[in-house]
Amino acid sequence: PAPAPAPSELKQRRGSRVHPEEAATAGGGEPERDAAEDWRKRWRHLKLQIWTVFENPQSSRFAFALSVVLLALILVSCVAFCLQTITVFYAGDQAVWEGIELVCIAAFTMEYLLRLLASPHRPSFCVAPLNIIDLVAIAPFYIERIAKSISSNQDVSGLAVFRVIRLARVFRLFKLGRYSDGLKTFANTMARST
């Protein structure tokens, strides 16, 4: 096929009028515009890939492995939270629990932010129940850290409200539904039966 005429050739053929679609498809377009459009196409493709990996564990081996890792982290986080309430474990060294919490929170935060960034429609993403649960489950960690950094003394015992907010970490159990088709089916069945 013959190459598309340059916009200047189109102007010469038809006078000064050139249809915008012809100018856009004509060869010799603006390099900045082509580069920007190329970047946008690659970004849209990357967003779709990220969204697919997080939302459809069956889409690839990597997506499945990632969902298994996230599922394991949810379980580890919940078990650690429960074990931490037992006096024998609570009275001991808290560094282990804090390390587990830090790793889990870092992974959950990264997952939430990547999913938010890759979301096709951010307002719908922000009001979806499972995404609200994700946010409520990770927010207490950051609220507690901010309160400790603002407080002049490191004793935050007067801030009991933050300990209550930490109970929201139990909501991570609801995230299990995102990774299990059986739990999704069960939830849909229960929702339709009422």
Side-chain angles (χ1 to χ4, degrees), residues 134-150:
D134 287 349
L135 187 60
V136 168
I138 61 175
F141 177 83
Y142 294 108
I143 292 171
E144 217 174 300
R145 296 289 181 214
I146 291 168
K148 283 182 181 178
S149 68
I150 291 173

Side-chain angles (χ1 to χ4, degrees), residues 70-127:
L70 289 171
L71 182 63
L73 285 173
I74 292 168
L75 292 174
V76 164
S77 176
C78 290
V79 168
F81 180 68
C82 293
L83 288 177
Q84 205 175 0
T85 62
I86 299 172
T87 309
V88 174
F89 297 114
Y90 184 73
D93 185 21
Q94 294 297 308
V96 173
W97 304 117
E98 289 173 4
I100 291 171
E101 181 70 7
L102 184 64
V103 169
C104 292
I105 287 292
F108 297 150
T109 302
M110 186 64 70
E111 175 209 13
Y112 183 82
L113 291 176
L114 283 172
R115 288 178 48 247
L116 176 64
L117 187 66
S119 172
H121 191 251
R122 286 192 185 106
S124 297
F125 176 88
C126 291
V127 297

Side-chain angles (χ1 to χ4, degrees), residues 11-185:
K11 283 183 184 178
Q12 288 174 355
R13 284 192 215 162
R14 294 191 180 153
S16 62
R17 294 182 331 170
V18 177
H19 193 274
E21 289 180 18
E22 284 184 310
T25 59
E30 298 174 26
E32 298 89 21
R33 195 174 208 172
D34 292 343
E37 184 61 32
D38 184 47
W39 183 86
R40 279 193 289 273
K41 283 180 183 177
R42 282 189 274 156
W43 173 242
R44 282 191 299 265
H45 180 69
L46 180 62
K47 278 177 54 173
L48 179 62
Q49 285 181 325
I50 292 170
W51 183 255
T52 303
V53 162
F54 281 108
E55 294 298 315
N56 186 4
Q58 291 84 20
S59 65
S60 68
R61 287 183 184 180
F62 176 73
F64 180 76
L66 182 64
S67 70
V68 169
V69 167
L70 289 171
L71 182 63
L73 285 173
I74 292 168
L75 292 174
V76 164
S77 176
C78 290
V79 168
F81 180 68
C82 293
L83 288 177
Q84 205 175 0
T85 62
I86 299 172
T87 309
V88 174
F89 297 114
Y90 184 73
D93 185 21
Q94 294 297 308
V96 173
W97 304 117
E98 289 173 4
I100 291 171
E101 181 70 7
L102 184 64
V103 169
C104 292
I105 287 292
F108 297 150
T109 302
M110 186 64 70
E111 175 209 13
Y112 183 82
L113 291 176
L114 283 172
R115 288 178 48 247
L116 176 64
L117 187 66
S119 172
H121 191 251
R122 286 192 185 106
S124 297
F125 176 88
C126 291
V127 297
L130 282 177
N131 297 328
I132 292 171
I133 289 170
D134 287 349
L135 187 60
V136 168
I138 61 175
F141 177 83
Y142 294 108
I143 292 171
E144 217 174 300
R145 296 289 181 214
I146 291 168
K148 283 182 181 178
S149 68
I150 291 173
S151 177
S152 58
N153 59 2
Q154 290 299 317
D155 181 31
V156 290
S157 59
L159 302 173
V161 68
F162 294 113
R163 289 195 181 145
V164 173
I165 292 174
R166 285 185 71 175
L167 290 174
R169 292 186 295 179
V170 175
F171 287 131
R172 290 180 192 149
L173 286 173
F174 291 114
K175 287 178 65 170
L176 293 175
R178 180 186 314 276
Y179 303 105
S180 169
D181 288 335
L183 287 174
K184 285 180 186 175
T185 304

